[in-house]
Amino acid sequence: MNWKVTPKYAASVFIAQFILGFFEGLLFEPSISVAFSFNALSLVVCGAIFFHLGSHQLYKPFIHAWVSLFFAVAAGRALALILYPWFGSPNAIDVIIEYILLVCALVTGTSYGIIWQQKKLDEKA
């Protein structure tokens, strides 16, 4: 396990999610179309982060991706608990959808990153 890499990707996912959530809450009125748009954007951005992880991590990229996701979610939950007195609790359905999208981003991004990595290794051989 490469403990130098994992926190960097966890921080990347956390910061991306934080920025997207901040702009969603700050600039737009809550609606289904806004939520769908930002969830789709989150899927693409986090998928790209996991793609980068999968394409650069030679040893057990899925383990690194899952540990990174765990740290990012733990940091997000800790921040939510800290901000709870001011903003209240998020809707449970929104949290579940967010977690499902993060898992989808992890699986697809890391898988395509591994495929990309193998293709580059085959070209060198």
Side-chain angles (χ1 to χ4, degrees):
M1 188 77 184
N2 189 349
W3 291 106
K4 292 179 183 178
V5 168
T6 304
K8 292 176 185 176
Y9 285 103
S12 298
V13 170
F14 175 77
I15 291 168
Q17 290 291 101
F18 181 82
I19 290 171
L20 289 172
F22 180 78
F23 282 119
E24 179 183 4
L26 182 68
L27 300 176
F28 297 96
E29 291 293 323
S31 70
I32 292 176
S33 62
V34 169
F36 180 79
S37 299
F38 274 91
N39 283 334
L41 185 58
S42 173
L43 179 67
V44 170
V45 169
C46 292
I49 292 168
F50 287 118
F51 174 86
H52 190 270
L53 186 149
S55 65
H56 288 84
Q57 184 61 40
L58 295 172
Y59 183 71
K60 296 187 179 183
F62 270 109
I63 301 276
H64 287 83
W66 281 108
V67 171
S68 296
L69 182 62
F70 173 78
F71 286 143
V73 168
R77 295 310 308 153
L79 183 63
L81 288 173
I82 292 169
L83 297 177
Y84 174 75
W86 296 282
F87 297 106
S89 178
N91 188 353
I93 282 291
D94 292 337
V95 174
I96 291 169
I97 290 171
E98 180 182 338
Y99 290 163
I100 290 170
L101 287 174
L102 284 171
V103 169
C104 290
L106 182 145
V107 170
T108 56
T110 306
S111 296
Y112 282 117
I114 292 169
I115 292 168
W116 179 270
Q117 178 187 69
Q118 288 299 320
K119 187 182 282 188
K120 290 296 177 185
L121 290 175
D122 289 344
E123 288 175 1
K124 288 182 180 180

